[in-house]
Amino acid sequence: MATIEDVAKLAGLSRSTVSRVLNNHPYVTDEKKRLVYEAMKQLEYYPNSSAQRLRTQKTDTIAVLVPRLTNPFFPFLIEGLEMIAVKYGFQLLICQTHHDKEKELSFLNLLLTKQVDGLIFTAIENDWATIDSFKTYGPMILCNEYMSEATVPIVRLDQVKGSYLGTRHLIEKGHKEIAYCGGTSSELGIDREQGFRKALAESGLVVNEKWLFRDLYSIECGKTLLRKLVEMDHRPSAIFTGSDEVAAGIIREAKNHKIRIPNELAVIGFDDQPIAELLEPSLTTIRQPTRDMGMKTMELMLAMLANPNMNEARQIIELPIQVISRESV
Amino acid sequence: MATIEDVAKLAGLSRSTVSRVLNNHPYVTDEKKRLVYEAMKQLEYYPNSSAQRLRTQKTDTIAVLVPRLTNPFFPFLIEGLEMIAVKYGFQLLICQTHHDKEKELSFLNLLLTKQVDGLIFTAIENDWATIDSFKTYGPMILCNEYMSEATVPIVRLDQVKGSYLGTRHLIEKGHKEIAYCGGTSSELGIDREQGFRKALAESGLVVNEKWLFRDLYSIECGKTLLRKLVEMDHRPSAIFTGSDEVAAGIIREAKNHKIRIPNELAVIGFDDQPIAELLEPSLTTIRQPTRDMGMKTMELMLAMLANPNMNEARQIIELPIQVISRESV
């Protein structure tokens, strides 16, 4: 049976170069890669990564837990994570939890069984107490969603500020009767509602509890919400939503009910997904620097892998957020 | 050091039940999982998956190669793949090629180094000759994009029929001057163009070479294309596009140039992504059964893993395709 030394000899390269090619390290020329692959083929040599992993205890793989990929926010976040990961020869294992606690636990198992070196949460389904025990098996980061009990680093946006700015934008445009429509019931969701309430309170406006809606996250949710609003005796003049998808559903369904946006109902989204600019009227929304957040998170993960003691240091990295004014308000 | 037998004893379960929990097998009750995790924690036992993998030569992981996740077509395809995979205790390793040949090769390496059990291409960057040599390391399937030289199973849609039906729809609505705008230059792209040409030829219409555009795939591409059309002395009355994203870009930019859709320019998309229904006017498009295609592909992959000889049998599974008529034509 051929060995890695045989491959190196036939390819005319050093053993360490062959090893770099096999481990997908960056900065190896295409020509060297070609020589190694050819030698491997000729010798019918193939390395067994499991044996390699057993030796090095490293997988060069990071698990990324997302609720669902069909929400465009997450593919853009992953794009940011990946831009940094590939530069350093790491790969991502993308895991969809579909908001399921058990699935999240089974993915945490990846860390425990050393199938990944580290793990990034973009949403959280279980209590921190449940998650915390996995910390000993490798570095974890919360990115996007967060928990105050968490004892791992957090990369997030100032969500209170985001919804505060959005709501203030509605108030500045003369709206006094404003509905709120939130997504996740995690701390991120609580903070967004707090920002909404803060903006209203500052202007002496009252929160109408009948106009508070929670756990809405899809285009379909937005459509259903609009139909609910239509049936009300007294409708709000504006609505703050926690998602461009929900806002898109509201705008779409408003057409069916001949409700003019923004004249009869102003709508503000959250995220600034590509869809925001394409809607008619185009969507005023709160831009999250999604790609940047992914990049920052992966840089931090690589630093944690290089220096395991960092894991203990609880740090919060907060990125800026801003209102993008278009036609829906 | 604790062994798996110690865990089984403390948990009061059989060794095989503990093993099923560790391998994320379905059909294990939550209570049993809890008992196993507790025993593991108490004994400070953790299994090393690399050792397990080395023994079984199985990873229960399937690599899925996609060009980019930010095109919503791929998240929906992945959703279908995953629906079947999780049912059988498999996980997906999602790999973005960003249309890069070298990246595709490095992901093929996953099969060679036994980091995955099988590999699914949703797009193809290298020649078949290059890819073919990896076939000996595990089952591969082409899903969505395809190649006639390929000697592995293919799950796809009838792309000739898709663009033929779409173009015929434009002709039936009275259009004679029709532009074509294609995406990938793979066989899928060639087939789509063939369907377009077939529909035109059948109605005695001539293809205007100045109105053929290729390699367009994003919202930005659609906007640029519309600006090109505006500058033409003689414009087409309708345009067939190979992507809802391109169609969305055309519709968006048409607004800036005060070109009325569909009166001055009819537009037909491809995919039926969520965006299609949200655009104003809403987008007539060709619906691909994306989720179903993912599900069929994963079923086939699992069958191939269970029966390695199937790999040799070249089969083509073709799913139906249809025009969804909305307002943009």
Side-chain angles (χ1 to χ4, degrees):
Chain A
M1 213 174 106
T3 65
I4 193 165
E5 279 78 16
D6 300 330
V7 174
K9 205 171 161 191
L10 184 61
L13 297 166
S14 71
R15 192 191 182 287
S16 66
T17 303
V18 174
S19 167
R20 274 204 298 279
V21 172
L22 296 179
N23 290 301
N24 285 322
H25 273 259
Y27 316 122
V28 183
T29 65
D30 292 352
E31 177 58 15
K32 282 183 183 164
K33 279 187 199 161
R34 201 187 53 77
L35 287 169
V36 171
Y37 289 140
E38 271 181 12
M40 284 168 67
K41 214 171 151 181
Q42 217 170 309
L43 294 167
E44 290 187 7
Y45 168 85
Y46 62 93
N48 186 306
S49 75
S50 303
Q52 273 181 18
R53 286 174 174 201
L54 201 57
R55 209 164 44 235
T56 61
Q57 296 279 318
K58 275 182 64 198
T59 63
D60 291 340
T61 305
I62 307 296
V64 181
L65 273 52
V66 297
R68 61 188 177 102
L69 282 173
T70 50
N71 174 354
F73 174 80
F74 296 102
F76 283 103
L77 187 62
I78 290 168
E79 201 167 73
L81 290 167
E82 203 191 35
M83 278 165 78
I84 301 299
V86 292
K87 247 170 80 176
Y88 295 91
F90 278 77
Q91 63 186 13
L92 304 185
L93 183 69
I94 309 206
C95 312
Q96 293 192 81
T97 63
H98 296 285
H99 294 294
D100 184 297
K101 284 184 185 196
E102 279 304 312
K103 266 198 189 148
E104 186 177 78
L105 272 181
S106 82
F107 291 134
L108 274 161
N109 228 8
L110 292 169
L111 207 57
L112 188 140
T113 55
K114 297 200 175 298
Q115 291 181 64
V116 298
D117 296 343
L119 193 143
I120 294 165
F121 293 86
T122 66
I124 315 155
E125 308 306 332
N126 286 280
D127 301 330
W128 185 255
T130 310
I131 295 170
D132 193 64
S133 59
F134 288 87
K135 223 175 49 182
T136 46
Y137 302 114
M140 303 196 290
I141 299 180
L142 305 188
C143 165
N144 182 42
E145 283 195 16
Y146 47 88
M147 273 179 171
S148 36
E149 314 95 285
T151 50
V152 298
I154 296 174
V155 181
R156 67 174 193 189
L157 307 169
D158 186 341
Q159 299 289 346
V160 178
K161 190 179 167 192
S163 55
Y164 170 78
L165 289 179
T167 311
R168 212 180 58 182
H169 182 77
L170 292 172
I171 296 169
E172 282 165 1
K173 295 281 179 180
H175 294 283
K176 290 186 189 334
E177 303 191 306
I178 307 175
Y180 174 84
C181 151
T184 165
S185 49
S186 69
E187 268 183 59
L188 178 152
I190 294 166
D191 279 355
R192 280 198 188 160
E193 191 169 322
Q194 195 196 318
F196 169 77
R197 287 177 183 271
K198 186 180 152 197
L200 256 61
E202 242 183 45
S203 301
L205 298 173
V206 183
V207 174
N208 184 334
E209 296 291 329
K210 282 187 195 152
W211 294 342
L212 288 182
F213 306 95
R214 296 187 184 101
D215 295 321
L216 307 186
Y217 53 87
S218 69
I219 294 169
E220 276 315 309
C221 292
K223 289 182 183 173
T224 309
L225 176 61
L226 192 281
R227 286 192 292 269
K228 260 190 209 160
L229 292 178
V230 166
E231 280 167 17
M232 287 184 174
D233 293 332
H234 187 63
R235 282 207 305 257
S237 73
I239 184 158
F240 173 93
T241 73
S243 136
D244 285 352
E245 288 180 289
V246 172
I250 292 172
I251 291 177
R252 182 73 198 82
E253 191 68 9
K255 259 165 224 163
N256 295 341
H257 293 273
K258 308 255 185 292
I259 293 175
R260 285 170 305 139
I261 311 265
N263 312 51
E264 294 176 77
L265 183 69
V267 182
I268 188 163
F270 214 108
D271 283 355
D272 199 25
Q273 294 182 5
I275 209 181
E277 183 217 14
L278 299 170
L279 291 169
E280 176 71 28
S282 60
L283 186 64
T284 293
T285 190
I286 292 140
R287 179 177 291 167
Q288 309 206 67
T290 316
R291 238 188 235 105
D292 289 352
M293 188 159 61
M295 291 171 74
K296 274 264 174 293
T297 303
M298 190 52 75
E299 281 167 3
L300 184 58
M301 173 56 75
L302 297 178
M304 285 168 79
L305 285 169
N307 175 11
N309 296 329
M310 261 187 78
N311 198 3
E312 293 310 309
R314 186 182 188 282
Q315 53 172 315
I316 298 180
I317 298 178
E318 216 162 53
L319 281 86
I321 203 162
Q322 60 173 317
V323 174
I324 303 295
S325 179
R326 293 200 183 92
E327 303 163 347
S328 68
V329 172
Chain B
M1 212 174 110
T3 65
I4 192 164
E5 278 78 15
D6 300 330
V7 174
K9 205 172 159 191
L10 184 61
L13 297 166
S14 70
R15 190 190 184 288
S16 66
T17 303
V18 175
S19 167
R20 274 206 298 282
V21 172
L22 296 179
N23 290 301
N24 285 321
H25 273 259
Y27 315 124
V28 183
T29 64
D30 291 351
E31 177 57 17
K32 282 182 183 163
K33 278 185 202 162
R34 200 185 54 78
L35 287 169
V36 171
Y37 289 142
E38 272 182 9
M40 284 169 67
K41 213 170 151 183
Q42 218 171 309
L43 294 166
E44 291 188 5
Y45 167 87
Y46 61 93
N48 187 306
S49 76
S50 302
Q52 271 181 19
R53 288 175 173 199
L54 199 57
R55 207 163 46 235
T56 63
Q57 296 279 318
K58 273 182 64 198
T59 63
D60 292 340
T61 306
I62 307 296
V64 181
L65 272 53
V66 298
R68 59 186 178 104
L69 281 173
T70 49
N71 174 354
F73 174 80
F74 295 103
F76 283 103
L77 187 62
I78 289 168
E79 199 166 74
L81 289 166
E82 203 191 36
M83 279 164 77
I84 301 300
V86 291
K87 247 171 78 175
Y88 294 91
F90 277 77
Q91 65 186 12
L92 304 184
L93 184 68
I94 310 211
C95 312
Q96 294 191 83
T97 63
H98 295 285
H99 294 294
D100 184 298
K101 283 185 186 197
E102 278 305 312
K103 268 199 186 148
E104 186 177 78
L105 272 181
S106 82
F107 291 134
L108 274 159
N109 227 10
L110 293 169
L111 207 56
L112 188 140
T113 55
K114 296 201 178 296
Q115 292 182 64
V116 297
D117 295 343
L119 193 144
I120 294 165
F121 292 86
T122 66
I124 315 156
E125 308 306 331
N126 285 280
D127 301 330
W128 186 254
T130 309
I131 295 170
D132 194 64
S133 60
F134 288 88
K135 222 175 49 184
T136 46
Y137 302 113
M140 301 196 293
I141 299 180
L142 305 188
C143 164
N144 181 44
E145 283 196 16
Y146 46 88
M147 272 180 171
S148 37
E149 315 95 284
T151 50
V152 298
I154 296 174
V155 181
R156 67 175 194 188
L157 307 168
D158 186 342
Q159 301 288 347
V160 178
K161 191 177 166 194
S163 55
Y164 170 79
L165 288 178
T167 312
R168 212 180 58 184
H169 182 77
L170 292 171
I171 296 169
E172 280 165 3
K173 295 281 178 180
H175 294 283
K176 291 187 190 330
E177 303 191 307
I178 307 174
Y180 174 85
C181 150
T184 165
S185 50
S186 68
E187 268 184 55
L188 177 152
I190 295 165
D191 279 356
R192 280 198 188 160
E193 190 167 325
Q194 196 195 316
F196 168 78
R197 288 176 182 272
K198 188 180 150 197
L200 256 60
E202 241 184 46
S203 300
L205 298 173
V206 184
V207 174
N208 183 335
E209 297 290 330
K210 282 187 197 152
W211 294 341
L212 289 181
F213 307 95
R214 296 184 185 102
D215 296 320
L216 307 187
Y217 55 87
S218 69
I219 294 170
E220 276 315 309
C221 293
K223 288 182 183 174
T224 309
L225 175 61
L226 193 279
R227 287 193 290 270
K228 260 191 208 161
L229 291 178
V230 166
E231 282 167 16
M232 287 185 172
D233 294 332
H234 186 63
R235 281 209 304 258
S237 73
I239 184 156
F240 173 94
T241 73
S243 138
D244 285 352
E245 288 181 288
V246 173
I250 292 173
I251 290 176
R252 182 72 198 84
E253 191 68 10
K255 257 163 227 165
N256 294 341
H257 293 272
K258 307 255 184 293
I259 293 175
R260 286 171 305 139
I261 309 272
N263 310 51
E264 294 175 78
L265 182 69
V267 182
I268 188 163
F270 215 107
D271 283 354
D272 198 25
Q273 294 182 5
I275 209 180
E277 183 218 12
L278 298 171
L279 291 169
E280 176 73 25
S282 60
L283 186 65
T284 293
T285 188
I286 292 139
R287 177 177 293 168
Q288 309 206 68
T290 316
R291 240 188 233 104
D292 290 353
M293 187 158 62
M295 290 171 74
K296 275 263 175 294
T297 303
M298 190 51 75
E299 282 167 3
L300 184 58
M301 175 54 75
L302 296 178
M304 285 168 79
L305 285 168
N307 175 11
N309 296 328
M310 262 185 78
N311 198 3
E312 292 309 309
R314 185 181 188 284
Q315 54 172 316
I316 298 181
I317 298 178
E318 215 162 55
L319 281 87
I321 203 162
Q322 61 173 317
V323 174
I324 303 295
S325 179
R326 293 200 184 92
E327 304 165 345
S328 68
V329 172

